[in-house]
Amino acid sequence: MPRKVVPLSSLASWFRIRREELAIKMLREHSKKVFNCVTELVHLVNLIMDGGDSDEISMSIKRINEMEHEADIMRRNILEELCKGKLEPSEREDLVHLTKRMDAVANNANAAARRISILDYKHVKILGGSFVKMVGDAEKCVRKLLETMEALRRGKEVSGLVDEVNQLEYEVDQDNLALRKELQSKTCENIGPFTAITLSNLIEFVEGIADSAEETAEFIRLVSIKRIQTKR
């Protein structure tokens, strides 16, 4: 019985689909690593507020730095994988931008941890419960972003989830404003200009986590719309 010959066009399509599936799987693992960075930042802040052991705090900072570095390596691997495949240019471009936007979330988490590493922990504690809430809300924002990415992967509707990410990002903005107003009313002794600026930068980087999550979610909405239009 003669062997069935697979047309080259079908074979090319098969490889393109498999390459895209691999890239999306890698992107999924990358997003989990990014989320772990943010989760560890929440743990770090809680450790400091609860008066945790300095060695444990240092280890938490180190873990965030290592995870962010691992996320960078994963991002580069994804980009290399995308260059190998015969993806449509628009598909490749979308996945590249999505990866870079997600990586910005981890970058902000690591930047926040680095600011903590150069501060006296007693000065971080000045930020109090309002800062704990802000970091927790930023984590919720990134968690919802992961749900949005999973919905995109499964071909489900993402618009409602993107709106939820936007709402959570707004909550972080409000946390930022409330925290700064609260700090204005406090009398903080023995805090020099450098410490004050570093604390302000710390707050900004936490806000940056939510901002990056929102930007990524909006890009996912755009990708989803493009997919729907392509199918028509």
Side-chain angles (χ1 to χ4, degrees):
M1 182 177 179
R3 292 169 60 185
K4 185 177 180 180
V5 178
V6 180
L8 286 177
S9 59
S10 298
L11 192 60
S13 177
W14 186 89
F15 276 116
R16 182 186 66 80
I17 292 169
R18 291 299 178 274
R19 186 68 68 185
E20 182 180 16
E21 287 176 350
L22 177 58
I24 290 173
K25 181 180 178 181
M26 293 170 70
L27 182 58
R28 188 183 184 190
E29 294 304 311
H30 174 258
S31 65
K32 290 179 181 178
K33 182 68 68 175
V34 168
F35 180 65
N36 288 341
C37 284
V38 180
T39 301
E40 186 63 35
L41 179 65
V42 173
H43 175 64
L44 170 61
V45 171
N46 285 326
L47 271 177
I48 293 172
M49 295 303 176
D50 294 339
D53 180 74
S54 59
D55 288 340
E56 193 176 353
I57 291 170
S58 296
M59 285 301 298
S60 181
I61 293 170
K62 183 180 178 181
R63 282 194 295 270
I64 294 170
N65 183 60
E66 289 174 347
M67 285 190 286
E68 190 271 339
H69 178 63
E70 289 167 4
D72 271 343
I73 294 173
M74 294 171 77
R75 174 181 57 81
R76 289 193 291 270
N77 290 340
I78 292 169
L79 298 182
E80 288 177 6
E81 190 63 37
L82 290 173
C83 290
K84 294 176 185 176
K86 291 187 176 182
L87 294 175
E88 293 295 327
S90 61
E91 293 174 339
R92 181 183 295 109
E93 186 177 356
D94 287 345
L95 289 171
V96 166
H97 284 306
L98 190 55
T99 304
K100 289 181 176 180
R101 281 173 165 80
M102 177 58 75
D103 204 57
V105 176
N107 291 342
N108 278 292
N110 191 40
R114 286 182 174 180
R115 295 310 178 279
I116 290 174
S117 72
I118 60 177
L119 286 164
D120 189 318
Y121 300 148
K122 70 180 181 182
H123 292 145
V124 179
K125 292 182 75 172
I126 291 171
L127 301 178
S130 296
F131 184 62
V132 174
K133 180 180 184 302
M134 183 179 181
V135 176
D137 286 344
E139 182 191 33
K140 292 177 185 176
C141 190
V142 179
R143 187 187 298 275
K144 187 59 64 174
L145 172 62
L146 259 64
E147 290 182 31
T148 309
M149 289 192 66
E150 184 63 16
L152 177 69
R153 189 183 72 85
R154 294 176 176 273
K156 295 183 177 180
E157 169 62 36
V158 301
S159 186
L161 289 167
V162 174
D163 289 342
E164 290 184 54
V165 174
N166 291 342
Q167 179 59 39
L168 288 166
E169 187 276 335
Y170 173 75
E171 292 295 327
V172 175
D173 280 346
Q174 294 303 108
D175 292 340
N176 183 11
L177 182 61
L179 176 57
R180 291 182 183 277
K181 285 182 177 179
E182 185 180 316
L183 292 174
Q184 286 283 354
S185 65
K186 284 186 177 181
T187 302
C188 302
E189 298 179 358
N190 302 320
I191 291 186
F194 177 77
T195 298
I197 291 170
T198 306
L199 285 170
S200 180
N201 288 342
L202 171 58
I203 296 169
E204 287 173 3
F205 281 121
V206 173
E207 183 182 23
I209 292 171
D211 288 342
S212 297
E214 181 187 38
E215 290 173 7
T216 308
E218 285 295 346
F219 187 76
I220 288 174
R221 193 203 303 268
L222 177 62
V223 170
S224 178
I225 291 171
K226 286 168 66 176
R227 280 188 174 183
I228 292 172
Q229 291 175 342
T230 300
K231 290 178 181 179
R232 288 176 179 174

